[in-house]
Amino acid sequence: MGCMIGVVFVFVTLLSWFSPDVSACSCFPTHPQTIFCQNSFALVGVILKRTPTGQKNIKYTVRVVKRIKGNIGKVGSEFEFKTPSTGASCGVSYTIGTMQFLMGRSQSNGNTIKICNMFFPKTFENWVYLLTRGRNSYIQNCKCKVLEEGDASSPMSCRLSNNSKSCFLKTAICRRKQGGKCEWKNDEQCS
């Protein structure tokens, strides 16, 4: 019996040295304003074409319907981006002919969209903050930082409340007041 336990121990030890290469995509819930401000482009477009690139990526071609953020071409022009080909690598899949809200990062090797750097607007408020350019828009308030933890004493930050975080994610925006400090707006029902 002791010999069998020793063999099992050696086998388990050897297996732990040769761990398989496993990739997984996981994202933490982040406030939409933070996601928007961290990305370099945002647009509404129609998916025209899907092309495998052979480099574990898929390239999509999109016709720009509305430009929200970034230097991505004018309305009516075509825009290309890539995404990993699998969900395990944080890839995103789109259907040809559908209109999509797209957000991602420009990099030296092209524009990239991954699951963790995008969100799908679920509320009327999120759409207003995204598609407008006024005082209550994400684009005008990227200097205000949404803090999920840490010190919120900076005048340019808003602290998320843990007990009502999902409410803040759906309805509130961290925006600049007249004096330059940042504060929550539309958070009345989140208290």
Side-chain angles (χ1 to χ4, degrees):
M1 183 70 157
C3 184
M4 182 61 119
I5 293 173
V7 170
V8 170
F9 176 75
V10 169
F11 183 71
V12 170
T13 304
L14 286 173
L15 280 178
S16 68
W17 285 351
F18 302 104
S19 61
D21 182 23
V22 177
S23 298
C25 178
S26 64
C27 310
F28 297 104
T30 305
H31 194 276
Q33 181 174 348
T34 301
I35 298 169
F36 177 84
C37 293
Q38 287 176 345
N39 281 293
S40 55
F41 68 85
L43 63 99
V44 176
V46 176
I47 306 295
L48 300 175
K49 185 167 48 168
R50 178 180 191 223
T51 311
T53 64
Q55 303 165 345
K56 297 183 181 179
N57 287 316
I58 301 291
K59 181 175 76 174
Y60 285 94
T61 305
V62 177
R63 176 164 293 113
V64 178
V65 174
K66 178 166 178 62
R67 197 169 90 169
I68 300 168
K69 179 182 180 183
N71 188 13
I72 54 173
K74 58 186 175 186
V75 171
S77 68
E78 291 186 3
F79 173 77
E80 291 182 342
F81 69 90
K82 65 181 179 180
T83 186
S85 59
T86 66
S89 298
C90 297
V92 185
S93 180
Y94 298 103
T95 303
I96 304 299
T98 60
M99 187 175 298
Q100 300 287 332
F101 170 73
L102 304 169
M103 201 165 35
R105 294 192 174 106
S106 296
Q107 300 170 331
S108 59
N109 60 353
N111 300 306
T112 302
I113 292 179
K114 291 187 176 184
I115 290 172
C116 289
N117 64 353
M118 65 182 303
F119 79 98
F120 299 100
K122 294 180 177 90
T123 64
F124 175 76
E125 289 88 353
N126 287 148
W127 279 111
V128 170
Y129 302 150
L130 275 170
L131 299 177
T132 62
R133 294 200 167 274
R135 189 162 172 237
N136 291 333
S137 67
Y138 290 147
I139 195 115
Q140 294 296 325
N141 289 290
C142 280
K143 290 185 179 174
C144 292
K145 302 294 179 212
V146 176
L147 299 178
E148 299 191 30
E149 56 185 46
D151 182 23
S153 62
S154 166
M156 299 304 287
S157 65
C158 299
R159 177 110 163 106
L160 270 176
S161 169
N162 283 335
N163 57 347
S164 56
K165 186 175 182 178
S166 64
C167 180
F168 280 87
L169 295 174
K170 293 176 188 170
T171 64
I173 182 171
C174 180
R175 74 165 194 186
R176 291 181 77 172
K177 291 190 333 184
Q178 298 293 34
K181 290 175 53 175
C182 296
E183 68 176 353
W184 284 113
K185 172 75 174 153
N186 291 342
D187 63 331
E188 300 83 19
Q189 65 264 26
C190 298
S191 301

